[in-house]
Amino acid sequence: SYPNPLQDNPAYSAVKQYFVNDDDTVTQKIVVHKDSPRGVHFRRAGPRQRVYFESDEVHACIVTCGGLCPGLNTVIREIVCGLCHMYGVKKILGIDGGYRGFYSKNTVTLTPKVVNDIHKRGGTVLGTSRGGHDTSKIVDSIQDRGINQVYILGGDGTQRGAAVIFEADQYNQGLVKDASI
């Protein structure tokens, strides 16, 4: 792991006091009976003191899938600006056309300048598609391009697809013995 770049950024000096402890959790149910079991807890989101990537080695990509919803362009913009300005990431790729864009080679380089005004437009500047993708081609494309961070924006179907892609990638790397692909 590496020190979080936010620690050295004067614009985010106040963040130091807000780093999330790795042991912090958020409970699923706020109110429980005093005699009930502890219940389900989730890992708390937020900046950590240490990150698991070196900014210069990051090659990130963003893809939007499924139906359109308000705010997709804003999310794209904030991911790009956050990665660039807060973490010093320089290589960010937009995948055009949803999951199928991975293997049809439809991409756009994303920089803060490129995404500066996209939050004022509706839809998604990256385009989208629903279902019908080839998981093995997506995994091959991610590996061939050297992408090591993938930001997938979409609903429940999109997230199920992301889980299948993750399992297939783990299988390809020999980290799991069975992948449901």
Side-chain angles (χ1 to χ4, degrees), residues 56-178:
D56 293 338
E57 297 173 7
V58 172
H59 187 184
C61 77
I62 303 171
V63 62
T64 53
C65 304
L68 294 176
C69 70
L72 282 175
N73 284 333
T74 302
V75 174
I76 294 166
R77 180 178 184 269
E78 293 308 310
I79 292 171
V80 171
C81 291
L83 285 172
C84 288
H85 298 308
M86 296 167 67
Y87 289 96
V89 173
K90 295 178 181 33
K91 294 186 284 186
I92 307 169
L93 196 60
I95 306 297
D96 189 13
Y99 282 138
R100 286 182 227 133
F102 276 104
Y103 48 88
S104 62
K105 308 294 184 191
N106 299 338
T107 62
V108 59
T109 300
L110 298 174
T111 64
K113 184 175 180 178
V114 169
V115 300
N116 185 49
D117 290 332
I118 67 171
H119 63 291
K120 298 175 184 176
R121 293 185 254 161
T124 167
V125 296
L126 296 178
T128 187
S129 64
R130 289 180 179 247
H133 62 272
D134 186 325
T135 303
S136 62
K137 285 184 179 179
I138 293 171
V139 171
D140 290 345
S141 176
I142 290 169
Q143 291 173 347
D144 291 347
R145 294 171 195 237
I147 294 170
N148 53 20
Q149 288 188 12
V150 181
Y151 296 86
I152 300 174
L153 309 179
D156 57 341
T158 299
Q159 300 310 311
R160 282 192 298 273
V164 170
I165 293 166
F166 173 77
E167 288 175 17
D169 181 52
Q170 298 296 295
Y171 179 76
N172 280 3
Q173 293 182 41
L175 301 174
V176 295
K177 294 181 192 250
D178 180 31

Side-chain angles (χ1 to χ4, degrees), residues 19-86:
F19 281 122
V20 175
N21 186 305
D22 288 337
D23 297 328
D24 288 353
T25 61
V26 177
T27 182
Q28 181 181 29
K29 293 184 180 179
I30 304 288
V31 178
V32 293
H33 188 270
K34 68 178 182 166
D35 297 327
S36 65
R38 184 166 178 229
V40 177
H41 286 246
F42 301 98
R43 187 177 305 262
R44 186 173 170 212
R48 305 293 200 267
Q49 284 189 313
R50 302 200 53 85
V51 295
Y52 295 95
F53 58 88
E54 186 70 57
S55 300
D56 293 338
E57 297 173 7
V58 172
H59 187 184
C61 77
I62 303 171
V63 62
T64 53
C65 304
L68 294 176
C69 70
L72 282 175
N73 284 333
T74 302
V75 174
I76 294 166
R77 180 178 184 269
E78 293 308 310
I79 292 171
V80 171
C81 291
L83 285 172
C84 288
H85 298 308
M86 296 167 67

